[in-house]
Amino acid sequence: MHPGSDKFAPTIDSLAWIHVRDRRLLSVRTTGKAKFYLPGGKREPGEGDVAGLCREIREELGVTLDPLSFRFFAALEERADGFADGRLVRMTCYTADHEGEPAPSGEIAEAAFLSSAEASMCPPAGQRVLRMLAEAGLVD
């Protein structure tokens, strides 16, 4: 460890499910938060991407992701929302087929399908994904 390295906040390592319906991106708002985030979260110790994202989506939205349908979408690093220390979030994003209708559960207060015009309702990582999807012609 070099001098001063403790001044750097740890990067948040997270997983996200990219789900587009009717040219809008599924986003969720946690109880007590104003911004809409990509559904997903952090892995448990020893958990891989597929298992971790399946667990998080089941907990947050009550749907089952099909592990065999996972497709890598993007890995991105952006400033994390809600941290004054400037820490970053490293987000690995996947698309996947699912069973069930996404509905908020647990810590999720609200789920919404957002267009790129609503990107200001999201933190930087969500805004970037919306831009990527809009540039690819997948969201309005």
Side-chain angles (χ1 to χ4, degrees), residues 18-56:
I18 306 301
H19 179 58
V20 175
R21 178 191 291 167
D22 300 326
R23 301 181 58 79
R24 294 179 181 275
L25 176 65
L26 177 62
S27 302
V28 296
R29 187 178 60 76
T30 306
T31 303
K33 300 272 188 177
K35 299 265 186 198
F36 280 86
Y37 296 83
L38 297 170
K42 299 181 203 116
R43 294 173 200 80
E44 297 290 333
E47 196 172 48
D49 288 6
V50 172
L53 194 53
C54 285
R55 178 187 50 75
E56 284 286 346

Side-chain angles (χ1 to χ4, degrees), residues 26-107:
L26 177 62
S27 302
V28 296
R29 187 178 60 76
T30 306
T31 303
K33 300 272 188 177
K35 299 265 186 198
F36 280 86
Y37 296 83
L38 297 170
K42 299 181 203 116
R43 294 173 200 80
E44 297 290 333
E47 196 172 48
D49 288 6
V50 172
L53 194 53
C54 285
R55 178 187 50 75
E56 284 286 346
I57 298 307
R58 189 173 51 253
E59 291 172 2
E60 291 183 358
L61 294 166
V63 299
T64 302
L65 298 183
D66 176 359
L68 299 179
S69 71
F70 269 60
R71 297 289 179 267
F72 176 78
F73 176 79
L76 45 100
E77 203 168 86
E78 292 288 343
R79 184 172 301 278
D81 183 53
F83 292 91
D85 60 13
R87 77 180 63 196
L88 299 176
V89 61
R90 181 179 303 114
M91 188 174 292
T92 307
C93 306
Y94 295 90
T95 61
D97 296 336
H98 70 284
E99 288 184 21
E101 182 61 27
S105 63
E107 68 204 26

